Amino acid sequence: MSEKWNDDDANTSVVPPPPSASRGAKVVVLEGTNRGATLVITRSRHTIGRHATNDLVLDDSAVSLVHLEIERAAGNRITVRDAGSTNGTWFGANRIVEVQLSPGAVVRVGSSLLRVEEHERTSPAEASGLNRFEGLVGASLEMRELFAVLERIAPKNLSVLVEGETGTGKEEVARAIHARSTRSQAPFVVLDAAAIPPTLAESTLFGHERGAFTGADARHVGAFERANGGTILLDEVGELPMPLQPKLLRVLERREVERVGGREAIPVNVRVIAATHRDLRREVEAGRFRDDLYFRLAQVRLAVPALRARPGDIPLLAEAFLNGCAEPGALPATLDSEALTELVSRPWPGNVRELKNVMMRSSALCEGGVITKSDIGTGGFGFQGAQQEGDAFDIAGSFADAKARAIDRFERIYLEALMRRSRGNLSTASRDSGIARNHLRDLLRKRGLYEPVTEQGE
């Protein structure tokens, strides 16, 4: 049974100073083995459960390893969401999937009672006064709290786990940490674990010697060696094959790599930042991710809030994207009031990346340098702009056939606009779209849009 209950151009720019104190929230254990334990809600998402990786650990056999999530949304609303627990999360007599709670509300998990209470927090100590941190933009309390943490941890040589939905800007967080670290002049290497074929994962990370396997006709230097002295971002680290995880753990602990087919231990001095859209604690519970590797990667855990949780940041982000995509020497496009209202009201399932793509497309399609609501489009496949984009979909025939035609049309429209924006530069297009370079090339070839000239200037 599912119930739902409703009970600011440079790093030196500042936002209006926050008040000396503001109302936050905390969760207090009223009954159970951990009576009196408290979780102060300081991030956009926390978890409660029996496993040691949770923010609040309950020593209760009736509680699942990861039992529920606590999410702070816009307006300091507190949402409690069951994490697929065995015995459920209960609000009164109702087993709930998700519930929004006000101070004083109580939920039951196993034999423990949890109450949401107000918590006085001092904003100056917890939130930055900046609305930008390197490439990150945001004036919301959630982002300024993140900036404050980044300011403190960037100079430290700690491993960082960055969590957040797809498109929230996890790579930008990693780049910001690197830029503010003592390693800023050294390499920053990004490795997308989701894009590595399992058979090549070890070689990609640690390198291989000539003749190590069929096709290894030359020595290959792995990502860790390339990042020596700097920072490596293990993007989508939750996708790493299980057999590779103990080898990665060994590298992190010993600070040395051994190439596939090699016998020499090669010292590496690398700061590791890992990013994932998955909840790795659930992956640990399911046996798909090693808990010792989790703890080694998560010396600091950062949660990047979804865009829907900080709608007040949308005008700032939109302005930044429009400035970034303006032609050299030209004034950036602006948004009229209806267009801005439309942007703020959308749920943005693709988060900041989706907003960026919409701004780039709208800037290219608008007339007179002013983006209207019609330039923004519908937010789905029914883009408005070119005549082809506004035409109705052909839904004749079977579902599978209609879906294939829709995907084919979307890919062509998107890829054509993408390559126009990137002026045919494949690397730029890959970075802007979030599509792996090799996969993007294959998509372009499939649509007859790829020409060798796209390799030039990279």
Side-chain angles (χ1 to χ4, degrees):
M1 173 180 174
S2 172
E3 298 283 346
K4 199 163 195 175
W5 300 79
N6 288 313
D7 184 277
D8 292 294
D9 289 333
N11 288 328
T12 54
S13 18
V14 296
V15 295
S20 58
S22 63
R23 291 292 181 182
K26 62 183 178 181
V27 176
V28 178
V29 182
L30 293 181
E31 293 183 10
T33 307
N34 301 92
R35 181 178 179 181
T38 299
L39 171 64
V40 177
I41 309 302
T42 59
R43 299 195 308 272
S44 58
R45 188 180 67 175
H46 295 266
T47 61
I48 298 175
R50 193 157 40 89
H51 197 274
T53 57
N54 289 283
D55 300 293
L56 176 60
V57 179
L58 298 178
D59 185 17
D60 184 339
S61 60
V63 170
S64 294
L65 294 183
V66 180
H67 197 103
L68 58 86
E69 296 178 350
I70 303 287
E71 183 176 288
R72 186 182 67 198
N76 209 34
R77 301 191 306 273
I78 301 301
T79 298
V80 174
R81 184 177 299 110
D82 187 83
S85 65
T86 301
N87 295 320
T89 300
W90 296 81
F91 181 71
N94 298 282
R95 181 170 181 168
I96 58 95
V97 172
E98 181 177 302
V99 59
Q100 272 191 12
L101 298 179
S102 301
V106 175
V107 295
R108 177 168 59 85
V109 295
S111 59
S112 301
L113 289 181
L114 313 177
R115 181 171 65 195
V116 175
E117 297 183 358
E118 284 191 338
H119 171 70
E120 194 111 322
R121 63 181 182 199
T122 53
S123 296
E126 298 179 6
S128 169
L130 306 179
N131 62 12
R132 291 175 183 255
F133 188 90
E134 297 298 326
L136 300 166
V137 177
S140 62
L141 182 58
E142 290 81 3
M143 290 302 290
R144 290 189 290 115
E145 287 176 341
L146 176 61
F147 297 166
V149 175
L150 292 176
E151 287 174 332
R152 294 196 295 270
I153 68 167
K156 309 291 195 305
N157 197 32
L158 296 168
S159 297
V160 181
L161 178 62
V162 186
E163 302 170 304
E165 296 177 9
T166 298
T168 50
K170 297 185 291 295
E171 182 175 333
E172 285 298 331
V173 170
R175 291 185 181 276
I177 293 172
H178 176 72
R180 293 294 185 93
S181 74
T182 58
R183 302 170 179 263
S184 59
Q185 301 305 309
F188 178 82
V189 175
V190 180
L191 184 71
D192 185 355
I196 308 173
T199 54
L200 297 178
E202 185 174 358
S203 169
T204 303
L205 279 170
F206 313 132
H208 65 251
E209 297 290 352
R210 179 180 180 182
F213 48 83
T214 302
D217 53 2
R219 170 183 287 179
H220 171 69
V221 175
F224 270 84
E225 283 188 78
R226 297 201 309 274
N228 193 29
T231 305
I232 186 169
L233 170 61
L234 301 177
D235 199 11
E236 295 303 345
V237 70
E239 311 304 318
L240 282 178
M242 196 68 178
L244 186 63
Q245 293 180 23
K247 298 178 181 179
L248 174 59
L249 179 63
R250 187 161 57 247
V251 169
L252 297 180
E253 291 177 340
R254 297 182 181 178
R255 297 291 174 177
E256 58 186 26
V257 298
E258 189 173 302
R259 298 183 185 128
V260 178
R263 298 181 179 179
E264 177 187 2
I266 304 168
V268 288
N269 174 19
V270 176
R271 182 181 191 172
V272 177
I273 302 176
T276 179
H277 74 282
R278 298 184 183 277
D279 188 333
L280 288 191
R281 291 165 294 188
R282 292 193 193 181
E283 298 300 295
V284 169
E285 179 181 5
R288 293 187 293 264
F289 201 85
R290 293 175 61 105
D291 57 354
D292 49 3
L293 178 57
Y294 173 87
F295 286 117
R296 187 62 186 78
L297 292 171
Q299 291 179 330
V300 177
R301 280 180 53 226
L302 299 175
V304 186
L307 187 54
R308 64 181 175 276
R310 52 185 187 109
D313 287 340
I314 289 175
L316 276 177
L317 287 163
E319 181 182 12
F321 294 144
L322 291 175
N323 289 337
C325 67
E327 295 290 338
L331 292 174
T334 58
L335 290 154
D336 70 13
S337 58
E338 285 190 353
L340 185 57
T341 299
E342 171 67 16
L343 292 179
V344 173
S345 67
R346 287 189 179 182
W348 299 108
N351 291 293
V352 177
R353 182 183 296 150
E354 182 185 1
L355 174 62
K356 180 179 181 180
N357 289 339
V358 169
M359 288 297 91
M360 295 180 75
R361 178 172 54 82
S362 301
S363 177
L365 296 175
C366 72
E367 296 181 0
V370 178
I371 298 172
T372 67
K373 183 177 178 180
S374 64
D375 294 321
I376 292 172
T378 63
F381 284 153
F383 298 138
Q384 295 183 17
Q387 181 59 45
Q388 180 188 6
E389 296 177 275
D391 291 342
F393 277 103
D394 178 5
I395 58 174
S398 69
F399 172 81
D401 289 343
K403 180 180 178 182
R405 289 193 297 271
I407 292 174
D408 181 84
R409 174 176 156 190
F410 165 74
E411 285 188 1
R412 174 169 291 280
I413 292 171
Y414 179 85
L415 293 172
E416 286 178 348
L418 174 68
M419 298 312 290
R420 284 197 302 270
R421 292 197 307 267
S422 61
R423 297 181 176 87
N425 186 289
L426 193 60
S427 294
T428 301
S430 173
R431 185 166 55 252
D432 290 347
S433 65
I435 303 173
R437 196 170 180 276
N438 290 341
H439 181 48
L440 177 59
R441 185 191 292 115
D442 291 341
L443 286 173
L444 292 169
R445 282 176 173 153
K446 176 183 174 184
R447 303 296 171 197
L449 300 174
Y450 177 76
E451 297 178 5
V453 70
T454 56
E455 302 285 354
Q456 297 177 4
E458 297 176 2

